[in-house]
Amino acid sequence: MSKKRFVQTVIARSLPTHDKRQAALDYAEGLWDWLTTKGYGNAEPSQPRQGMDYYRALDSRQSYYFDKFWGTYNHKQGRNEAAMRWGQLVDPTDEFYQFIIDAARKEASKQIQPGQVRKMAQGWLHEQRYNDYQPTTASKDAKKGQLIQKLTSQLNGVKTLYDAGRDEALLPEIEKLENQLREVRKTA
């Protein structure tokens, strides 16, 4: 606390009458000086803190991917704070950086309700909101099911053609589709 704020607080709490204001001021200053000699006050005026430039603290790889992220994310405030959060990512791979950038692209294209504001990049990174855009296993299973359905449909169509005309040229296509179907079913 600065001396100025201390004196103001002491005087405001004592609420001196007009004729006793000078005495209250003398008392508050004297109390500050006494507390300072006892080690409770700070005679030095407080200085503003020196801020750190977190963007410059990023290494070249982090900086490269952060620039791509910043260019993609659609809320251009708090760049230094976002760089701080970017630098706090633990051992990220290039794929993970790209995943975050892709999620930021989706976030930037997302419509927000009137009266709402997009989350600043610092908070978005700190809260790991990029995980909101991670494909779920249910969607992976659904895509696998769709692929199986598509291959089965194609296989049935080619088999129907073969049964109708017994054209030997269709046999390699049937074998190819059956192999693809087996491979898709084998994958986890």
Side-chain angles (χ1 to χ4, degrees):
M1 177 182 278
S2 68
K3 180 178 180 179
K4 178 180 178 180
R5 184 167 299 226
F6 176 81
V7 170
Q8 288 172 346
T9 303
V10 169
I11 291 175
R13 286 190 179 174
S14 65
L15 295 172
T17 58
H18 181 67
D19 59 326
K20 296 188 180 185
R21 286 184 188 158
Q22 187 60 47
L25 177 62
D26 293 339
Y27 170 75
E29 287 180 339
L31 185 57
W32 174 266
D33 293 338
W34 180 76
L35 286 171
T36 301
T37 61
K38 298 293 183 184
Y40 291 101
N42 183 5
E44 302 285 325
S46 61
Q47 300 294 323
R49 282 193 250 165
Q50 294 295 324
M52 180 171 172
D53 189 347
Y54 291 101
Y55 179 75
R56 288 184 187 221
L58 297 176
D59 63 33
S60 61
R61 182 172 159 266
Q62 290 172 320
S63 179
Y64 170 76
Y65 283 109
F66 179 77
D67 289 341
K68 289 176 74 172
F69 165 77
W70 189 253
T72 303
Y73 197 75
N74 195 17
H75 192 68
K76 304 292 188 230
Q77 284 184 322
R79 179 174 174 253
N80 191 46
E81 292 81 6
M84 174 190 68
R85 296 296 182 194
W86 193 264
Q88 291 173 344
L89 295 172
V90 181
D91 297 328
T93 62
D94 292 347
E95 292 79 20
F96 184 65
Y97 277 144
Q98 192 57 51
F99 167 71
I100 294 174
I101 292 165
D102 293 342
R105 184 174 294 109
K106 291 174 186 173
E107 176 68 21
S109 67
K110 186 172 88 174
Q111 290 290 89
I112 56 175
Q113 299 295 322
Q116 289 185 338
V117 178
R118 190 170 310 283
K119 187 97 173 149
M120 289 178 66
Q122 170 192 2
W124 193 81
L125 288 168
H126 178 66
E127 294 173 7
Q128 299 179 0
R129 295 221 177 163
Y130 43 83
N131 287 327
D132 294 347
Y133 296 96
Q134 192 166 23
T136 61
T137 53
S139 67
K140 289 178 183 176
D141 290 343
K143 287 181 181 180
K144 180 179 174 181
Q146 289 172 349
L147 182 57
I148 289 172
Q149 185 177 11
K150 177 184 171 186
L151 290 171
T152 303
S153 177
Q154 289 175 351
L155 179 61
N156 288 338
V158 174
K159 281 183 176 180
T160 302
L161 284 173
Y162 176 76
D163 289 341
R166 298 286 177 196
D167 185 359
E168 298 285 325
L170 295 174
L171 289 175
E173 185 64 23
I174 291 172
E175 188 175 331
K176 177 182 153 193
L177 288 169
E178 286 174 341
N179 287 336
Q180 285 178 340
L181 202 50
R182 267 192 292 277
E183 288 299 315
V184 170
R185 286 186 175 143
K186 272 198 272 185
T187 59

